[in-house]
Amino acid sequence: MLGIWQFTKGYVRLAVTGFSVERFLNMAAYRGVYLWDVERTPKGVELNVSINGFKKLKGCARKTKCRTKIIQKNGLPFILHRYRKRKLLVGGILFFLTGLFVLSSFIWRIEIEGNDFLHQDTVMAFLEEQGLRTGALKFRLDDRELQRAILNNFPEVSWADVHTRGTRTTILIAEALPSQELLDRQSPTHVIATSEGLITAIVTGAGAPMVRQNDVVRPGDMLVSGILELEPDTPGTALVYVHAYAEIWARRYHPIEFSVPFAYEEKIFTGRTANSHSLQLLFVGNRRITLPSGGNSFNSYDRITTRHQIGASGNYPLPFVLITEHYMEFTPQPRTRTPEEARDLAERLITSRIIREFDFGIDIVGRQVEFQETPDALIVTALITTHERIDKQVPITVPTPEQPQPPAQ
Amino acid sequence: MFRIKEKMAGALSVPKEIALDMPLVMATGRGEVSIENYKNILEFTDTRLRIGTKEGLMIIEGEMLKLRQITTENLLISGRIAEIKYA
């Protein structure tokens, strides 16, 4: 630590010769000059002294009849003195420091963590709306403000943390389970259908059922009414509003239609690969510079693109993204499927569509698949039967007692 | 006079090197010796160091003796020390 201080202040190595160097040392110490690394030489001593101390030593040398000679100059003042005429170097240093300051006052990387259901792009689009994007000025952004905005905008986010370290902003998100619309148990409600279907079971908790088993309903149809007439036989009787609730199951049919062509192309990879690199500069409108290496001369190829932001793992990600394109050559080989192979493929495609498109809570009760062969394709018609709940509560607006009027249905 | 001062320092338990300007010698191993409250350097070679203190002449002998730091109150000596004695 002392060494750094001495380096910045500057010091000299001095050779002191004379009749009594001890007297010289004593006088220097007496005058408060700090000396260090004093070594004996055949003629006298060698010692280190700071630049300020050296000025005071001149008097000591004269009085004790010693001669001093500078052997070595060390430290920053001497280095600066040496380079004082090199304006370009000084300019370069200033330019570098300014560049460092300017570039580090932007956000160069945004990371979102903890989102399982919420899509990365949705959050990114929202952040961009709020002014956070790569290349945004750091001091214009308020992490707390952003945090609040995320919480307000996405009801499914239960907790969010935004923090900026260096040129990176990290957004941590905790998602809540999608909350159901809760209705006050006292408020009057109807139960309506969320989708079309054939009613299979009705379990009514409260309210007047409007449908029966085997009825076909369409979305929005009233299933259970929350408005009861006290005496159904006499018209114009008093009405009672109840909180209707029911569990209503229906059978639904989902048609799936697609065709599987018999002719297809198989990719046979030749094993030949090539790479090309380009550098994306985030600070000039995401411009891409293709680096002079690689490229490919393949006719048919698969391409894998990897993006690597330089310095992405540290606190100061830089606004350079190295993009590597990896090409793999293949030769397309025309093939034909047999009808059996086409059927197998069709079955697999149906299964994967069911997995992808249907919620977990839905029971699949039937799956009818019909095939129709044409000269060049297999036409697949599938009907998936499901058993699911289709009830949904909607609140009823009760007319105020001052203006009694029959509720419009 | 001197005796009185020493007794007072003892009674008030003030460190003697402060009250009486006595030298305080601290040796770390045999490579480093620090002397506080020295008066002056009388002789300095790489094998022998003679230092004036209030208690008299102090002689340090050894090899490759070097004065690492010199300030008004403190001397830091390094080297391979063989002997520290008063004469």
Side-chain angles (χ1 to χ4, degrees):
Chain A
M1 205 51 222
L2 199 63
I4 294 169
W5 174 246
Q6 282 156 355
F7 180 80
T8 36
K9 294 288 280 182
Y11 64 94
V12 289
R13 185 106 181 124
L14 216 58
V16 184
T17 50
F19 174 68
S20 174
V21 288
E22 286 85 356
R23 275 192 67 205
F24 174 84
L25 295 178
N26 288 325
M27 191 173 280
Y30 183 72
R31 293 193 178 184
V33 180
Y34 175 64
L35 306 175
W36 72 97
D37 287 351
V38 186
E39 275 175 83
R40 190 76 204 192
T41 55
K43 286 180 183 172
V45 288
E46 273 183 31
L47 52 88
N48 285 344
V49 66
S50 68
I51 292 174
N52 289 334
F54 175 64
K55 287 170 189 162
K56 292 185 197 163
L57 284 186
K58 282 176 182 166
C60 304
R62 206 167 43 242
K63 280 194 175 165
T64 57
K65 296 197 179 77
C66 285
R67 291 162 60 84
T68 60
K69 194 185 166 203
I70 293 170
I71 307 173
Q72 201 178 31
K73 293 172 180 174
N74 298 307
L76 207 56
F78 296 111
I79 294 171
L80 291 181
H81 189 75
R82 202 178 308 153
Y83 290 119
R84 75 194 182 283
K85 285 193 176 154
R86 301 184 54 177
K87 294 201 175 72
L88 210 61
L89 180 74
V90 175
I93 291 169
L94 284 179
F95 179 76
F96 173 77
L97 291 176
T98 332
L100 200 67
F101 174 75
V102 168
L103 288 183
S104 61
S105 54
F106 292 100
I107 302 288
W108 293 124
R109 195 176 170 84
I110 302 165
E111 284 175 358
I112 299 172
E113 286 169 23
N115 52 324
D116 292 330
F117 296 103
L118 206 56
H119 202 274
Q120 187 105 1
D121 296 347
T122 324
V123 184
M124 281 292 187
F126 174 72
L127 291 175
E128 185 145 1
E129 237 171 71
Q130 300 291 314
L132 174 64
R133 61 181 176 280
T134 45
L137 269 176
K138 212 159 72 174
F139 55 81
R140 285 231 187 117
L141 295 168
D142 183 1
D143 287 355
R144 299 291 296 277
E145 195 71 42
L146 221 53
Q147 196 170 315
R148 221 167 295 135
I150 292 171
L151 284 174
N152 287 341
N153 191 57
F154 299 104
E156 58 268 55
V157 173
S158 65
W159 174 86
D161 177 50
V162 179
H163 58 264
T164 305
R165 294 269 178 285
T167 55
R168 170 211 307 274
T169 295
T170 311
I171 291 124
L172 292 173
I173 283 175
E175 286 175 349
L177 288 173
S179 64
Q180 285 176 339
E181 249 184 87
L182 287 178
L183 290 171
D184 180 10
R185 299 209 69 162
Q186 302 302 317
S187 67
T189 52
H190 288 309
V191 176
I192 63 163
T194 54
S195 55
E196 90 298 329
L198 176 75
I199 306 286
T200 54
I202 304 177
V203 184
T204 313
M210 309 294 280
V211 289
R212 293 154 171 261
Q213 204 174 359
N214 296 330
D215 277 0
V216 174
V217 293
R218 278 191 293 196
D221 279 2
M222 173 89 66
L223 299 178
V224 179
S225 171
I227 302 171
L228 305 178
E229 287 175 28
L230 278 182
E231 289 165 67
D233 301 331
T234 29
T237 180
L239 298 172
V240 178
Y241 293 87
V242 296
H243 178 81
Y245 61 96
E247 199 173 295
I248 292 163
W249 293 80
R251 178 164 296 159
R252 296 185 60 199
Y253 301 99
H254 306 265
I256 297 175
E257 264 180 74
F258 60 95
S259 66
V260 181
F262 291 130
Y264 69 104
E265 277 186 349
E266 195 183 358
K267 293 174 182 176
I268 295 175
F269 287 95
T270 58
R272 291 211 297 157
T273 59
N275 285 318
S276 81
H277 306 278
S278 56
L279 197 63
Q280 191 176 13
L281 310 176
L282 297 180
F283 50 92
V284 280
N286 294 350
R287 189 166 301 171
R288 274 175 76 160
I289 297 170
T290 309
L291 300 179
S293 72
N296 75 98
S297 52
F298 305 150
N299 288 322
S300 313
Y301 54 84
D302 272 0
R303 185 174 65 183
I304 298 172
T305 307
T306 43
R307 292 166 55 89
H308 173 72
Q309 186 160 5
I310 295 164
S313 52
N315 266 346
Y316 281 91
L318 300 178
F320 303 103
V321 181
L322 185 68
I323 299 170
T324 307
E325 314 249 33
H326 184 68
Y327 305 97
M328 292 177 292
E329 191 193 30
F330 64 82
T331 36
Q333 187 73 36
R335 304 261 173 161
T336 44
R337 289 186 184 94
T338 62
E340 284 70 39
E341 281 172 341
R343 277 172 198 225
D344 279 355
L345 180 64
E347 290 285 359
R348 283 206 303 278
L349 288 174
I350 292 167
T351 308
S352 68
R353 268 185 74 163
I354 290 172
I355 291 169
R356 197 167 61 237
E357 288 170 20
F358 292 178
D359 284 344
F360 279 117
I362 294 174
D363 289 341
I364 311 286
V365 292
R367 166 173 168 154
Q368 276 176 290
V369 189
E370 277 171 30
F371 299 108
Q372 197 185 339
E373 277 177 44
T374 63
D376 46 34
L378 183 74
I379 293 167
V380 186
T381 323
L383 193 65
I384 309 300
T385 315
T386 60
H387 194 223
E388 55 191 280
R389 269 183 80 167
I390 58 164
D391 55 277
K392 183 193 173 193
Q393 283 181 311
V394 288
I396 312 171
T397 41
V398 181
T400 47
E402 282 80 25
Q403 298 149 303
Q405 52 182 250
Q409 282 200 5
Chain B
M1 181 62 192
F2 197 73
R3 300 296 307 167
I4 296 166
K5 251 189 163 177
E6 195 173 349
K7 275 187 179 162
M8 272 178 70
L12 297 169
S13 60
V14 177
K16 289 201 174 74
E17 73 272 11
I18 294 171
L20 305 172
D21 240 5
M22 279 183 181
L24 176 69
V25 182
M26 193 160 67
T28 312
R30 57 183 294 184
E32 206 176 83
V33 178
S34 152
I35 301 164
E36 265 177 55
N37 288 332
Y38 78 101
K39 272 160 73 183
N40 51 11
I41 303 165
L42 297 174
E43 187 191 345
F44 168 47
T45 67
D46 54 357
T47 52
R48 206 164 118 96
L49 199 56
R50 294 201 300 148
I51 298 155
T53 72
K54 193 143 192 180
E55 293 283 275
L57 180 66
M58 179 179 227
I59 301 171
I60 294 172
E61 285 182 346
E63 285 162 30
M64 296 177 294
L65 294 183
K66 222 170 116 175
L67 290 167
R68 283 261 299 282
Q69 286 173 15
I70 304 178
T71 63
T72 326
E73 302 93 33
N74 196 24
L75 265 187
L76 186 68
I77 301 147
S78 71
R80 190 153 177 85
I81 286 141
E83 214 175 333
I84 304 174
K85 66 182 177 192
Y86 285 102

